Amino acid sequence: MASKIPELSSLVSTAQAAFSERFHGRPDIAVAAPGRVNIIGEHTDYNDGFVFPMALPLVTVMVGKHTDSNKCKIFTLAENVDQPHEVEFQVPTPSHPLKPHKPNWANYVKGVVANFHGPVSGFDAVITTSVPLGGGLSSSASLEVATYTFLEVLMGTKAPSLQAKALACQKAEHEFANMPCGIMDQFISTMGSKGHALLIDCRSLESKLVPLSDPSVTFVITNSNVRHTLTGSEYPTRRRQCQDAAKIMGKESLRDATLADLENHKSAMVEEKELYNRARHAISEIHRTEEAVSILKNGDYNTFGKLMTESHNSLRNDYEVSCPELDQLVDLALAVSGVYGSRMTGGGFGGCTVTLVKQENVEDLIGHIKQNYKGTPTFYVCAPSHGAQEVSLLHKKA
Ligand code: GLA
């Protein structure tokens, strides 16, 4: 059986009750921002390429209210975050800007407060989430985008555009979490739409909603529930290797390079032998993503699934961001009838896989993996959901 995804109203109600207990009073703002699963287009966003994520019904919820103090007080109900679960900081001013500090979870909130497009007042807030933390489903971006959305409602002013909002959240992550991520996670959490995945051109920043509502197929997310600790240093290294490879080919980014360019410059990449393979992944993945999205329009799931599996192989062999657990999950999925394709999703080194499967074979897939995977997996069967939004508070007294 797949995990039951908590209803949005139940997350709001939990956060609301915790708010009343902590801060004595009722919140008057509630917002939610989703995590995401990337269907194809991995490690392409920072190469100016294409990505194709969808927003999940797994969300981060923030409830709260304005206060007349100049303090931001935030309490998190999230499990598995560093202590303390409550932080308090001054509304930043030019002479007292915010800086990252412990606990780590609060840096995402602080980073967004620091990068909000207008002034911020004091507030009290409670956070809760159904996005598994560190599971590769963008729990961080969902917290950033929830915070930005909360501040928009609090201050009564929207970001100049959805792109500007997502970029401010990405900047928060760069500056306050020291993670040089691309734009994908914040874009989809901001712009996701029910029944659609989002094709994002990470060079022009234009995005296009693509309907994804055929009831005969579904995407199953399998959480390996492992996270290897090398993730921290590996991501910036991959980014740098891609830049170096582009530079050797005289290109602004790998978006401009072809596999033929790469062959022509192979001999110039001998000093760091990984460059060739890293670039081969990024260049081929950018093309695969474009191809996959155009194929999807014809409902050709066989070819779409093959491209997903090719993406996994490229991430495993050339980009070297997979791990034995993710490889095993993909192999197990591909052995099940009705499965079109399967791949690791997100940054890698643990986290989740995403599998395209006929609806009628979902339980076979879950059963087969449960029986044979060497760890303890968690499954989510999700339809594409909303991007960040203000949501209703419950009216009965919390
Ligand atoms: C992480 C980053 C994204 C993207 C993916 C890999 O999730 O936050 O920007 O680079 O890895 O596709």
Side-chain angles (χ1 to χ4, degrees):
M1 274 272 288
S3 292
K4 201 168 162 358
I5 296 175
E7 293 286 331
L8 180 57
S9 56
S10 103
L11 291 171
V12 173
S13 140
T14 307
Q16 219 174 314
F19 185 94
S20 304
E21 202 180 297
R22 283 269 148 183
F23 299 113
H24 311 294
R26 277 177 56 85
D28 47 28
I29 300 167
V31 300
R36 61 98 187 96
V37 66
N38 188 22
I39 300 169
I40 193 161
E42 215 65 82
H43 288 279
T44 48
D45 58 354
Y46 53 82
N47 287 307
D48 284 349
F50 294 96
V51 291
F52 191 53
M54 69 182 207
L56 298 175
L58 299 164
V59 294
T60 295
V61 162
M62 194 163 175
V63 306
K65 74 192 294 187
H66 162 92
T67 61
D68 289 327
S69 75
N70 63 346
K71 292 200 172 84
C72 308
K73 290 189 203 166
I74 304 130
F75 177 67
T76 182
L77 293 167
E79 286 162 18
N80 305 324
V81 294
D82 51 341
Q83 295 283 351
H85 282 198
E86 185 161 358
V87 292
E88 183 178 316
F89 55 88
Q90 301 266 342
V91 169
T93 60
S95 54
H96 287 98
L98 280 171
K99 294 206 177 79
H101 213 277
K102 295 270 173 204
N104 290 325
W105 66 266
N107 287 329
Y108 300 101
V109 179
K110 285 184 191 165
V112 172
V113 170
N115 283 289
F116 189 65
H117 64 272
V120 172
S121 72
F123 63 85
D124 292 342
V126 168
I127 293 165
T128 189
T129 190
S130 55
V131 189
L133 301 184
L137 300 179
S138 283
S139 53
S140 334
S142 73
L143 175 54
E144 290 149 12
V145 175
T147 305
Y148 204 107
T149 309
F150 177 85
L151 296 178
E152 287 181 318
V153 181
L154 180 80
M155 302 313 296
T157 158
K158 292 239 179 217
S161 67
L162 293 180
Q163 290 180 355
K165 175 171 171 177
L167 290 172
C169 292
Q170 181 204 24
K171 194 155 173 268
E173 182 143 348
H174 287 188
E175 292 174 351
F176 280 70
N178 203 19
M179 160 63 176
C181 59
I183 62 162
M184 168 167 67
D185 307 343
Q186 293 79 9
F187 265 60
I188 184 64
S189 185
T190 306
M191 299 172 200
S193 167
K194 203 172 170 189
H196 297 83
L198 191 70
L199 175 66
I200 309 170
D201 178 337
C202 302
R203 165 167 279 173
S204 67
L205 303 187
E206 274 162 21
S207 53
K208 205 166 90 194
L209 289 167
V210 178
L212 209 67
S213 48
D214 179 347
S216 69
V217 292
T218 191
F219 289 100
V220 173
I221 299 165
T222 308
N223 193 345
S224 65
N225 287 315
V226 298
R227 173 126 307 263
H228 297 286
T229 44
L230 4 107
T231 332
S233 59
E234 295 288 338
Y235 189 92
T237 303
R238 295 297 183 286
R239 240 193 123 131
R240 199 261 309 145
Q241 288 171 329
C242 288
Q243 274 160 5
D244 288 356
K247 204 159 153 209
I248 290 174
M249 289 186 274
K251 307 288 182 193
E252 199 187 311
S253 70
L254 291 180
R255 169 76 175 270
D256 299 318
T258 61
L259 290 173
D261 293 327
L262 186 63
E263 285 313 315
N264 291 336
H265 290 83
K266 192 171 182 178
S267 56
M269 296 186 188
V270 282
E271 255 177 57
E272 191 178 348
K273 62 177 185 357
E274 286 90 6
L275 291 195
Y276 173 84
N277 286 358
R278 303 298 188 246
R280 187 163 64 178
H281 164 72
I283 296 169
S284 62
E285 183 78 354
I286 292 171
H287 292 295
R288 258 192 300 278
T289 307
E290 272 188 290
E291 194 189 340
V293 175
S294 72
I295 277 167
L296 192 62
K297 285 181 201 131
N298 315 326
D300 178 359
Y301 300 124
N302 280 315
T303 312
F304 189 90
K306 278 200 187 100
L307 292 169
M308 287 177 72
T309 306
E310 270 178 28
S311 164
H312 181 79
N313 293 339
S314 175
L315 288 157
R316 182 189 59 204
N317 302 334
D318 277 350
Y319 221 61
E320 295 182 274
V321 291
S322 187
C323 62
E325 292 85 354
L326 293 174
D327 294 341
Q328 196 202 5
L329 287 174
V330 167
D331 288 345
L332 288 172
L334 292 175
V336 176
S337 127
V339 166
Y340 292 106
S342 184
R343 57 183 288 277
M344 55 152 277
T345 182
F349 301 110
C352 296
T353 61
V354 58
T355 301
L356 176 62
V357 57
K358 279 186 188 151
Q359 189 75 52
E360 66 200 44
N361 295 109
V362 168
E363 287 308 321
D364 303 338
L365 170 68
I366 293 179
H368 184 68
I369 293 180
K370 267 196 173 160
Q371 213 167 27
N372 296 288
Y373 177 59
K374 56 187 173 197
T376 314
T378 318
F379 302 91
Y380 301 102
V381 183
C382 298
S385 296
H386 283 293
Q389 56 181 338
E390 186 177 6
V391 295
S392 312
L393 283 154
L394 302 178
H395 290 301
K396 60 178 188 306
K397 207 169 180 323

